[in-house]
Amino acid sequence: MQKKYLMTPGPTPVPAEVLLTQAAPMIHHRTPDFSAAFAQSIEGLKYVFQTTGDVLLFASSGTGVMEAAIANCFCAGDKVLVTRNGKFGDRMKGISEAYGLNVVDMQYEWTSVVDPGDVAQMLQDNPDARGVIVTQSETSSGVLNDVQAIGEIVRAYPDCVLIVDSITGIGAVECKTDEWGLDVVMTGSQKGLMLPPGLAATTVSEKAWRAYERSDLPKYYFDWMKYKKNVEKDTTPFTPAVSLVLGLNVALGMIREEGLDNVIARHARLASATRLGCEALGLKLFAPTEGRGNAVTPVWVPEGVDGKAIVKIMKNRYGVTIAGGQDAYEGRIIRVGHLGYFGEFDIITTLAALEMTLAELGYEFERGAGIIAAETVFMAGVGA
Ligand SMILES: Cc1ncc(COP(=O)(O)O)c(C=O)c1O
């Protein structure tokens, strides 16, 4: 037997309470029991999104709500500014193009943050833009983009919506949907919500509903209005992912019990320990100091070491699954996820497995340094 540790930024580990709830016998979705759990889940989602506006829940992976955001907000040929500094910004560009939008491409290096000043300038140059699209927490790079600052800028344009992919942001970093003027914020179940894959949620502001009224792009399963009308009656337009919704209700209860601020602070602490632990091994962080999220820590693979071998050995010999790099960074970076149901010893375990793996691959460093650095973060304030 080998004990397994899932240290990826999605799917993420699922707490036993949530798993057990999902294992209960099936119930029908047109029942008071389901409606009560569904209504409570929507309220819980409003809490994590920090919104009093509409939240809609779909049976899909995250990409479903990304596509829904485009289909529901725009008309063919609409101009949108798509910021992209990683794989998921690229995906928003691809979806926008698939729907015939006129994409103003704001491309950055994966190691850079999106500059809000550039967004301000691009909106001045393109006052007819109907949307700005930003990935808050870029899972491919670990970069955190400043959606608060971008929200301030977009707020001044009444016909332009700000669409935020916070699929690995929600529950890991601050994301104040209403206060920051974010019109559409999206997340997925297999991330900070501590569930298996299969659910995705989106917020819709009043400005986004105005965009919806004007939108003429084709939509059916992902038509926001179908969901809104049903949410108001504590139900769903189509058969929901019943077991996942019941699990979501339990997971959101756990988040409420810990308190969102504490959840985010825990993520910050785990991210800090992971970063310092990796740096103590002489590894270089991939994301720049001015924009690092709490969901995932990508680090450069050291010269002369096979990046794919790190991932393979950690998984096969030690049971610790981390993620490799994506696209151009395959084999060049490794990514440790710490998003959702994670605690201190997940980080210590992962750093220990990483140390043993690097030692096996002939990389020279001070053994134990990563673990000590992480312990130091976890013991801050203890006085030892
Ligand atoms: C930032 C971000 N956006 C979008 C997605 C796409 O979500 P899914 O794979 O659930 O469709 C992911 C998933 O990894 C993500 O991390």
Side-chain angles (χ1 to χ4, degrees):
M1 191 210 79
Q2 186 188 53
K3 190 164 179 186
K4 304 263 193 313
Y5 301 84
L6 182 59
M7 299 296 302
T8 61
T12 62
V14 180
E17 299 89 314
V18 177
L19 290 172
L20 287 171
T21 300
Q22 292 182 102
M26 187 52 53
I27 61 167
H28 198 270
H29 56 292
R30 306 294 180 206
T31 57
D33 285 350
F34 180 78
S35 284
F38 178 71
Q40 212 173 351
S41 296
I42 295 290
E43 284 312 306
L45 285 169
K46 288 185 182 184
Y47 172 71
V48 295
F49 277 119
Q50 305 192 56
T51 184
T52 56
D54 286 311
V55 171
L56 311 175
L57 185 63
F58 302 83
S60 80
S61 80
T63 307
V65 277
M66 293 159 82
E67 177 157 348
I70 300 301
N72 283 274
C73 284
F74 303 113
C75 297
D78 273 357
K79 189 183 274 184
V80 288
L81 311 186
V82 182
T83 64
R84 54 188 184 112
N85 53 349
K87 187 178 178 69
F88 296 103
D90 294 351
R91 188 170 297 178
M92 285 309 291
K93 175 170 177 278
I95 298 170
S96 303
E97 286 169 349
Y99 277 86
L101 301 188
N102 174 5
V103 170
V104 177
D105 188 11
M106 296 181 63
Q107 187 179 11
Y108 296 81
E109 296 294 327
W110 283 29
T111 48
S112 305
V113 289
V114 171
D115 182 349
D118 292 346
V119 175
Q121 185 61 53
M122 285 305 248
L123 277 175
Q124 268 179 33
D125 297 346
N126 298 277
D128 54 337
R130 290 282 181 174
V132 173
I133 300 173
V134 187
T135 310
Q136 184 189 21
S137 159
E138 233 320 333
T139 323
S140 56
S141 65
V143 170
L144 183 70
N145 291 312
D146 188 349
V147 293
Q148 180 180 12
I150 296 171
E152 277 308 311
I153 294 159
V154 179
R155 206 193 276 275
Y157 294 80
D159 295 327
C160 182
V161 289
L162 175 55
I163 296 176
V164 176
D165 171 350
S166 187
I167 288 174
T168 56
I170 290 297
V173 294
E174 200 63 83
C175 186
K176 300 188 176 188
T177 301
D178 289 357
E179 196 180 313
W180 294 354
L182 315 179
D183 296 302
V184 178
V185 181
M186 305 168 277
T187 196
S189 57
Q190 78 277 26
K191 308 284 186 178
L193 295 177
M194 309 183 291
L195 286 166
L199 289 179
T202 193
T203 69
V204 185
S205 72
E206 282 178 20
K207 201 201 239 186
W209 280 119
R210 286 198 297 278
Y212 170 90
E213 291 303 333
R214 173 185 162 272
S215 150
D216 67 1
L217 289 173
K219 46 196 160 286
Y220 190 91
Y221 183 74
F222 285 113
D223 185 334
W224 281 350
M225 190 55 81
K226 289 187 171 69
Y227 289 80
K228 179 178 165 64
K229 284 185 176 155
N230 280 277
V231 164
E232 284 164 1
K233 294 181 279 180
D234 297 336
T235 189
T236 57
F238 312 113
T239 308
V242 174
S243 307
L244 283 169
V245 173
L246 299 178
L248 173 65
N249 198 23
V250 173
L252 287 166
M254 291 172 71
I255 292 175
R256 267 192 198 273
E257 197 179 317
E258 186 176 354
L260 186 58
D261 288 348
N262 295 330
V263 171
I264 294 169
R266 171 168 54 80
H267 281 79
R269 202 165 59 246
L270 299 182
S272 166
T274 310
R275 285 180 202 132
L276 290 169
C278 288
E279 284 185 316
L281 303 180
L283 304 178
K284 299 224 162 8
L285 302 178
F286 185 77
T289 35
E290 65 272 21
R292 289 181 183 147
N294 296 335
V296 57
T297 299
V299 294
W300 288 102
V301 171
E303 270 307 305
V305 175
D306 177 352
K308 288 187 183 168
I310 298 177
V311 177
K312 207 188 231 172
I313 294 172
M314 284 182 72
K315 177 172 183 303
N316 294 345
R317 202 181 304 292
Y318 301 112
V320 178
T321 302
I322 62 165
Q326 293 171 296
D327 295 354
Y329 294 98
E330 202 182 328
R332 297 171 63 200
I333 61 174
I334 52 169
R335 296 175 300 143
V336 177
H338 29 72
L339 165 66
Y341 186 52
F342 283 104
E344 281 87 349
F345 288 96
D346 296 310
I347 305 302
I348 298 276
T349 300
T350 304
L351 287 168
L354 179 59
E355 288 196 8
M356 292 187 281
T357 301
L358 288 171
E360 179 180 336
L361 290 170
Y363 173 67
E364 286 184 17
F365 64 102
E366 193 188 327
R367 294 279 289 279
I371 295 164
I372 290 171
E375 284 181 5
T376 306
V377 172
F378 298 145
M379 292 185 74
V382 174

